[in-house]
Amino acid sequence: MSNSFEILYDEYEGDFDLEFTLNSGQTSHPPFKKLDDSYYELVEINDELVVIKLTQDGLNAPLIVEYFTQKQDISNLVKERIFYMFDLNYDMKFYNFIKNSDELSDILEFNRGLRIIRAHNPFECIISSICSANNSIKRWTKTIEKIREGYGKSVQVGEETFYMFPTPEEFLKISEKSLKDLGAGYRSSYMLNTANLILKHDDFNNEILNMSYEDAFKEVLKLEGVGPKVADCILLYGFNMNKAYPVDVWINRITTYLYFNSKKVSNKRIMSFAHDKFGVYAGYVQLYLFNYARMSGLMDKLK
DNA sequence: AACCAGGACTCTG
DNA sequence: CAGAGTCCTGGT
């Protein structure tokens, strides 16, 4: 059965544009499935699989939420999940911070309505992030979708089937050869070894969650296939740590363009610069700069 | 058909 | 600590 409700502009902080956000290339998970003018995603709420359908007619328009479930009305829980997923309670001081910066104020306008998308859970985020390393968004998306369709739980609504990312137990049933066949390449063994380690390490997620950003970074870096960039993606999207500033080529290019007069600067220096300069807003600044660098055409010219 | 883009890892200086 | 080569595959 299905239920529905709306989330109105004055219920959340700041601006929100669903479509813009979902298409911004964030590697927390692949884009939601689009059918007609709505976006669908399968989520797990209190051990129950729920298909969520989201519709929004542009920036700050009412977000129409419909969900499909076996049990009764769980609108409160679904709403809570959506607020978490798109960080709808986020800190408005970020807007003021970025608005008052000479280098960043144009970028705020360009990205109006863009939000961080939080991953469904740390495990999915960690494995997906490892798969994103040295990979294109397109190929990464294809691989993750095939992993879901081949090995995750599924729910059917009407004609459509929706898939979860596999749990650690389900994931570890995949052979290395199968993962390679799905396009994960040499990352396959990293993904499997890390999944195995997390499954054996009892309370891994809670331990990370209770650490400072700095300690968590060092800990996640120990996982196979996780370097500085992937570590920061995991902490930002999977563990809600907003100090993370994942530095990929795009972030390196635009940060050096804006703050280092386009000189060559190592990723390591970019990271520590961002921590000093942006503090707790680093994660959002990264998202806004990344999207701007990809979408504005500016970086293509500079290349 | 050769070459490049995209991060992590490993080895070397 | 920095720099270089290798890994896989889709794109030119």
Side-chain angles (χ1 to χ4, degrees), chain A residues 25-134:
Chain A
Q26 301 180 48
T27 52
S28 38
H29 46 61
F32 293 7
K33 188 179 268 192
K34 187 177 186 186
L35 297 167
D36 299 319
D37 289 321
S38 301
Y39 289 94
Y40 294 76
E41 180 76 346
L42 178 59
V43 302
E44 186 171 358
I45 298 178
N46 289 353
D47 297 325
E48 193 191 347
L49 299 181
V50 183
V51 173
I52 297 180
K53 173 187 177 186
L54 299 173
T55 318
Q56 188 195 36
D57 187 18
L59 176 69
N60 294 335
L63 185 66
I64 302 162
V65 182
E66 188 176 356
Y67 63 93
F68 305 85
T69 165
Q70 301 298 318
K71 293 192 202 145
Q72 61 281 39
D73 191 315
I74 50 165
S75 295
N76 288 344
L77 295 172
V78 172
K79 189 169 187 171
E80 198 176 288
R81 174 62 69 89
I82 289 169
F83 268 69
Y84 175 80
M85 251 189 317
F86 296 110
D87 206 18
L88 293 178
N89 287 319
Y90 87 143
D91 185 356
M92 280 304 286
K93 282 183 274 183
F94 165 69
Y95 258 13
N96 296 324
F97 173 81
I98 196 169
K99 206 167 63 188
N100 294 328
S101 147
D102 292 341
E103 293 89 350
L104 301 177
S105 49
D106 289 350
I107 286 161
L108 174 64
E109 204 47 51
F110 185 89
N111 286 305
R112 199 160 278 284
L114 179 60
R115 301 283 181 149
I116 281 183
I117 310 171
R118 306 289 181 192
H120 292 313
N121 60 69
F123 178 73
E124 170 170 359
C125 187
I126 289 167
I127 301 304
S128 301
S129 298
I130 292 173
C131 190
S132 76
N134 198 20

Side-chain angles (χ1 to χ4, degrees), chain A residues 252-265 270 298-299 302-303:
Chain A
N252 185 307
R253 279 174 199 151
I254 195 159
T255 310
T256 54
Y257 169 72
L258 289 174
Y259 295 98
F260 292 88
N261 203 17
S262 293
K263 285 204 288 275
K264 270 209 188 319
V265 183
I270 300 258
L298 172 69
M299 287 295 109
L302 291 175
K303 246 166 79 186

Side-chain angles (χ1 to χ4, degrees), chain A residues 285-296:
Chain A
V285 172
Q286 178 271 162
L287 173 65
Y288 276 43
L289 289 180
F290 177 74
N291 194 54
Y292 182 79
R294 277 176 70 235
M295 309 291 277
S296 69

Side-chain angles (χ1 to χ4, degrees), chain A residues 141-159:
Chain A
T141 301
K142 218 171 70 184
T143 303
I144 299 300
E145 281 175 349
K146 285 186 191 164
I147 290 173
R148 287 180 172 212
E149 287 166 16
Y151 303 92
K153 295 185 190 71
S154 68
V155 165
Q156 197 155 356
V157 173
E159 303 283 290

